[in-house]
Amino acid sequence: MAETSSHPEIFDSLPYYDDDLQKYPDLKLKVEQELAREPKPPSALHPRVPPPFEFFSNNVLLRAELERVESHQPFPSLDSLRYQLPAPSSTPGTDEEWQAALQNAHAQLEHQKIRLTNLTLLQNYGPNAWRIHNYLLEAVAKQSEKALEDLKQLTVEVNRERKNNQDHLGKQLTSLETRWTELISSVLQIEMANVALDAEIEKLNKREMELSEP
């Protein structure tokens, strides 16, 4: 694991407080030109970003159906041949053809019995099962909405705290900058006064030397 630097990072930007770009349009233009020269961000995701989740990796049929929906393909038409009872194609039919037709009829009959059983079970237990399923979905939706609202509130609080801190620090920096400007001005005034005093002293010395001469 890479060692972290012992020196803290220093940020010299207060985006909630600085308004230099609004005050100086030329500066904003230069910033935009500099950003345009910057290389494009990498297309690869950050290493901490998890890989995309693959749905229905263990179910081929559901995965194929999901791919069909994603590609906006129409739903395949129902196969009606399985519900038909075709008679032997030849007249009269052979024993094998009639045996196949009879087996098909038995399969169709059994299929209809299973459908009736499923419909009966659905009629008896389906409504309650569907209500429970909807109740669980509503509970999950409420939890997700609450988590979203909490995250939004946390984001607002973080941004508000960041703005307040930057406003406080910006005002403090502005006050220090103003004080620094005043001190620099005072130093310059003192230096100018010293120069004037030195000139006056030199003038007085010369005057004194002139008066002391016989």
Side-chain angles (χ1 to χ4, degrees):
M1 185 175 181
E3 296 182 358
T4 57
S5 176
S6 59
H7 301 286
E9 295 184 3
I10 299 177
F11 299 94
D12 58 353
S13 175
L14 300 177
Y16 284 103
Y17 185 81
D18 294 336
D19 56 353
D20 293 341
L21 297 180
Q22 285 73 24
K23 290 182 178 178
Y24 309 104
D26 295 339
L27 180 60
K28 183 177 181 180
L29 179 60
K30 292 181 179 180
V31 171
E32 292 177 353
Q33 292 175 352
E34 187 66 26
L35 290 176
R37 287 194 294 267
E38 290 292 327
K40 295 183 178 180
S43 58
L45 297 177
H46 193 274
R48 292 187 178 182
V49 176
F53 182 77
E54 184 179 357
F55 294 95
F56 309 122
S57 58
N58 298 326
N59 194 316
V60 179
L61 295 178
L62 290 179
R63 187 169 67 249
E65 179 63 15
L66 180 61
E67 292 175 354
R68 182 194 66 80
V69 174
E70 289 179 346
S71 59
H72 304 284
Q73 296 295 327
F75 188 82
S77 58
L78 296 176
D79 185 10
S80 60
L81 295 177
R82 59 184 300 181
Y83 302 107
Q84 297 178 4
L85 294 175
S89 57
S90 60
T91 304
T94 61
D95 293 342
E96 291 78 6
E97 291 177 345
W98 281 109
Q99 187 67 26
L102 182 60
Q103 291 178 357
N104 184 27
H106 283 302
Q108 294 293 340
L109 180 61
E110 188 65 24
H111 177 66
Q112 294 299 328
K113 289 181 180 179
I114 294 175
R115 289 187 64 189
L116 289 176
T117 302
N118 290 336
L119 289 175
T120 302
L121 292 174
L122 180 62
Q123 185 176 5
N124 293 334
Y125 304 104
N128 290 334
W130 188 251
R131 292 190 187 97
I132 294 174
H133 178 68
N134 288 340
Y135 174 78
L136 295 176
L137 289 180
E138 290 177 357
V140 172
K142 290 181 180 179
Q143 292 177 357
S144 301
E145 291 176 356
K146 185 178 183 303
L148 178 60
E149 291 299 327
D150 294 342
L151 184 59
K152 288 182 177 180
Q153 184 63 28
L154 179 61
T155 303
V156 171
E157 292 176 359
V158 170
N159 290 332
R160 183 184 297 114
E161 182 179 0
R162 183 185 293 118
K163 184 178 185 300
N164 292 335
N165 290 336
Q166 292 188 12
D167 287 341
H168 174 71
L169 295 175
K171 292 178 181 178
Q172 185 176 358
L173 289 174
T174 302
S175 176
L176 293 175
E177 184 178 2
T178 303
R179 179 60 178 165
W180 176 82
T181 303
E182 293 175 353
L183 292 176
I184 292 296
S185 178
S186 299
V187 170
L188 292 177
Q189 291 177 2
I190 292 174
E191 290 181 353
M192 293 176 62
N194 289 335
V195 171
L197 287 176
D198 291 339
E200 186 67 23
I201 291 174
E202 184 178 358
K203 182 179 180 181
L204 292 175
N205 289 333
K206 289 182 177 180
R207 180 64 177 170
E208 181 181 3
M209 292 177 61
E210 292 176 353
L211 293 177
S212 62
E213 292 180 354

